[in-house]
Amino acid sequence: MKIAGFQKLTLLDYPSKVACILFTQGCNFKCPYCQNSGLIGHENEVLIPEEEIFEYLKKRKGVLDGVVVSGGEPTVQKDLAIFIKKVKEMGFLVKLDTNGSNPDLLKKLIDEKLVDYIAMDIKNILTLYKEVAGVSPSVNKLEESINLIKNSGIDHEFRTTIIKNIHDINKIKKICEYVDGDTFFLQNFEQSENVCDKKLESFSTEELIKINKIIKKEFPNVTVRRI
Ligand code: SF4
């Protein structure tokens, strides 16, 4: 598997777990707000050998609870299931971060009990992905992934990075409808040196409080982060 980044410890990326996180190389989306834009393209970049990760994990048995597989988009990796299986055989929990574009692979991972937690990004109204993901993925596939995850019986969350220039309150409400009643986080966009589009803006604290108030009335399951 193509691994372009590895963080030995994270207390933030796997809810209630102590984990490490690895970032796979490449993505099938081109989000202008991507915080990991360095992982997209750059096929000649030096990658981290899988053996290095397994060596580290061997030494961390009993210390780490799990491994977060993030990206890039992990499901574009052809050998993702094989890699995860090895991690599971070592006794670690696995959390997968995904953009939901590959429901077939998600189904395989769920059916074979290879994932313990899935976090899926819902980037926009499903028919309007182009304006935020730079591509127009199959709406059917995105819906399939949402339904698979909702009904998987495993821990999961959905989340949307909300961007002031793109997501108005009506769009946000519409996105919330896709996962009504399920765990859903709205997280404020943050501009940074890794973000390609420097014109994108985050919501102010006051605006987030307002959004939170409106959304909570209709969707009490939704949590607005970074207020
Ligand atoms: S799907 Fe994720 S990794 Fe891929 S471009 Fe978008 S934000 Fe970046």
Side-chain angles (χ1 to χ4, degrees), residues 27 29-31 33-36 40 71-73 99 121 123:
C27 185
F29 286 8
K30 296 186 181 73
C31 309
Y33 69 90
C34 183
Q35 297 287 355
N36 292 328
I40 317 307
E73 171 52 35
N99 62 22
D121 291 329
K123 296 180 180 292

Side-chain angles (χ1 to χ4, degrees), residues 29 98-103 106 120-129 133 135-149 158 178:
F29 286 8
T98 181
N99 62 22
S101 59
N102 191 344
L106 273 181
M120 176 179 162
D121 291 329
I122 301 178
K123 296 180 180 292
N124 203 356
I125 292 176
L126 301 186
T127 50
L128 298 178
Y129 258 48
V135 295
S136 300
S138 155
V139 171
N140 288 345
K141 284 191 176 187
L142 294 172
E143 279 174 343
E144 208 182 316
S145 291
I146 292 170
N147 290 327
L148 263 172
I149 295 168
F158 296 95
Y178 295 129

Side-chain angles (χ1 to χ4, degrees), residues 77-160:
Q77 304 292 323
K78 296 208 173 3
D79 47 357
L80 177 67
I82 297 168
F83 177 84
I84 290 181
K85 203 168 182 183
K86 287 185 197 163
V87 173
K88 293 286 293 172
E89 282 168 0
M90 294 178 81
F92 293 97
L93 299 168
V94 171
K95 172 178 177 260
L96 178 73
D97 291 343
T98 181
N99 62 22
S101 59
N102 191 344
D104 294 342
L105 183 50
L106 273 181
K107 185 171 183 334
K108 178 183 163 72
L109 296 174
I110 291 167
D111 287 350
E112 295 184 13
K113 301 194 181 341
L114 293 176
V115 279
D116 304 281
Y117 195 113
I118 302 175
M120 176 179 162
D121 291 329
I122 301 178
K123 296 180 180 292
N124 203 356
I125 292 176
L126 301 186
T127 50
L128 298 178
Y129 258 48
K130 183 83 179 170
E131 62 185 22
V132 66
V135 295
S136 300
S138 155
V139 171
N140 288 345
K141 284 191 176 187
L142 294 172
E143 279 174 343
E144 208 182 316
S145 291
I146 292 170
N147 290 327
L148 263 172
I149 295 168
K150 271 173 118 172
N151 300 315
S152 65
I154 65 171
D155 291 336
H156 60 270
E157 70 184 52
F158 296 95
R159 58 200 184 187
T160 299

Side-chain angles (χ1 to χ4, degrees), residues 174-208:
K174 180 77 188 154
I175 296 167
C176 289
E177 284 174 14
Y178 295 129
V179 288
D180 193 12
D182 218 307
T183 311
F184 189 35
F185 295 99
L186 296 174
Q187 52 198 29
N188 198 13
F189 163 74
E190 271 179 18
Q191 188 56 262
S192 80
E193 60 181 28
N194 296 324
V195 170
C196 298
D197 190 338
K198 300 297 180 206
K199 291 194 196 105
L200 297 180
E201 289 175 45
S202 46
F203 288 97
S204 68
T205 302
E206 292 70 28
E207 287 164 337
L208 278 180

